[in-house]
Amino acid sequence: MAAMLRSVHLYDPISAHTRTDFATLRQGMTVQEALAAIRQHGVGERIVYFYVLDDDDRLAGVVPTRRLLIAKLESPLSEIMIRQVVAIPDSATVVEACEFFLLHKFLAFPVVDEQRHMTGVVEIGLFTDEVFDLAEREQSDAIFEALGFRLAQVRDASPLTAFRYRFPWLLATITSGSLCAMLASVYEVTLAQSLVLAFFLTLVLGLGESVSIQSMTVTIQALRVAQPTLRGYFRQLWRETATALLLGLGSGLAVGLVVWIWRGEGLAAMAIGSGILLSLMTACAFGLSVPSLLHALKLDPKIAAGPITLALTDIFTLLFYFSLAAIIL
């Protein structure tokens, strides 16, 4: 058994390593009916969760064993089950399944197809310590993926091969940086009127990039867990907008207060604070929208989302920052 587990390859499809003897219950059952069905049909020794299916055999919820045992017999399963089920898509690889275990800390996950029909269950016992060590090392790839390339592609590559992988994405940074420089030159007069704008330019760009990367990371994780929908996108956009508004207000007020206390320039403080507010709201929108769009176009959001999101964030941050300064000052 141990030898078989050690043979699991990180990039195998997870569907090749799932268990099919999982326990399912029907959503219309009561606890008493569920327990009777379990006694009649029996369950395996390793059952941790009972998965609840609706009338169309789609995954509707999950009931932990302890919750099933302590619930009142007359309670319907629909009342005690957990509806927000984290499921692994059957198209995932073993390393992606490892990320689910590391992120959510569950003992098992259902594996589902695009219609949410269960195809199997993957348990934490599938993975040896050796595989988990490898999975943890894989997390270092995320840093490089955000810059537009995979660590595995350049770890043992020649200098020329590494150049071929890395330079195209550096070109994206060079292009966006050049556009930002040209954009700043349009506002030379505004900068001359208030030099303090230049002092805080790096801070404003850094805030926008940090927020956009945070939103992008959350979005990519969400895309791995559930199939995206247009309705879900707008719901998430509303949530991100509300979050960005709070982040922008807090950051804008803090930086504006620093400018006002340090330089005594009220209008400059208002311009910088307002620019931060708009730039952070835009950064959140790009962090959500870019990976969602790439996913919809069947592209890998982990690879291209980073450079594109950062480039758009920098350009629009400068545009709002200098435009508001020109209006207010």
Side-chain angles (χ1 to χ4, degrees), residues 132-158:
F132 268 114
D133 288 342
L134 287 171
E136 288 172 359
R137 290 200 294 272
E138 289 285 334
Q139 300 308 307
S140 63
D141 280 9
I143 300 171
F144 292 88
E145 286 170 356
L147 300 176
F149 64 94
R150 293 184 186 275
L151 178 60
Q153 292 175 319
V154 296
R155 183 182 288 121
D156 301 316
S158 67

Side-chain angles (χ1 to χ4, degrees), residues 95-298:
V95 70
E96 289 172 332
C98 282
E99 293 176 356
F100 276 78
F101 283 97
L102 293 170
L103 179 64
H104 299 284
K105 312 299 183 184
F106 294 154
L107 299 177
F109 287 95
V111 179
V112 298
D113 61 18
E114 293 182 355
Q115 288 75 42
R116 297 285 289 182
H117 295 141
M118 282 188 66
T119 61
V121 171
V122 58
E123 294 182 341
I124 196 169
L126 171 68
F127 306 106
T128 63
D129 292 338
E130 175 185 0
V131 173
F132 268 114
D133 288 342
L134 287 171
E136 288 172 359
R137 290 200 294 272
E138 289 285 334
Q139 300 308 307
S140 63
D141 280 9
I143 300 171
F144 292 88
E145 286 170 356
L147 300 176
F149 64 94
R150 293 184 186 275
L151 178 60
Q153 292 175 319
V154 296
R155 183 182 288 121
D156 301 316
S158 67
L160 182 59
T161 301
F163 172 82
R164 284 175 43 238
Y165 280 122
R166 299 171 67 172
F167 188 66
W169 299 111
L170 290 180
L171 277 179
T173 303
I174 292 171
T175 301
S176 65
S178 299
L179 288 174
C180 288
M182 295 176 188
L183 184 61
S185 69
V186 175
Y187 294 92
E188 285 186 55
V189 175
T190 303
L191 280 170
Q193 289 176 342
S194 181
L195 192 59
V196 71
L197 293 174
F199 296 161
F200 286 88
L201 186 56
T202 303
L203 171 61
V204 174
L205 287 172
L207 284 173
E209 291 176 354
S210 296
V211 170
S212 65
I213 289 297
Q214 289 170 2
S215 295
M216 184 192 72
T217 302
V218 171
T219 301
I220 290 176
Q221 290 292 338
L223 289 172
R224 292 176 177 175
V225 174
Q227 187 69 20
T229 62
L230 188 60
R231 182 179 179 181
Y233 167 78
F234 283 112
R235 184 168 59 248
Q236 185 65 24
L237 181 61
W238 169 253
R239 187 180 299 114
E240 284 294 314
T241 301
T243 301
L245 179 61
L246 295 174
L247 291 172
L249 285 172
S251 301
L253 287 172
V255 176
L257 186 62
V258 170
V259 174
W260 182 64
I261 294 174
W262 177 37
R263 304 286 294 188
E265 300 181 23
L267 290 179
M270 183 184 302
I272 293 172
S274 301
I276 289 174
L277 171 61
L278 282 180
S279 67
L280 293 196
M281 294 184 68
T282 305
C284 275
F286 282 134
L288 170 65
S289 301
V290 171
S292 298
L293 178 60
L294 292 173
H295 186 275
L297 296 175
K298 308 299 182 182

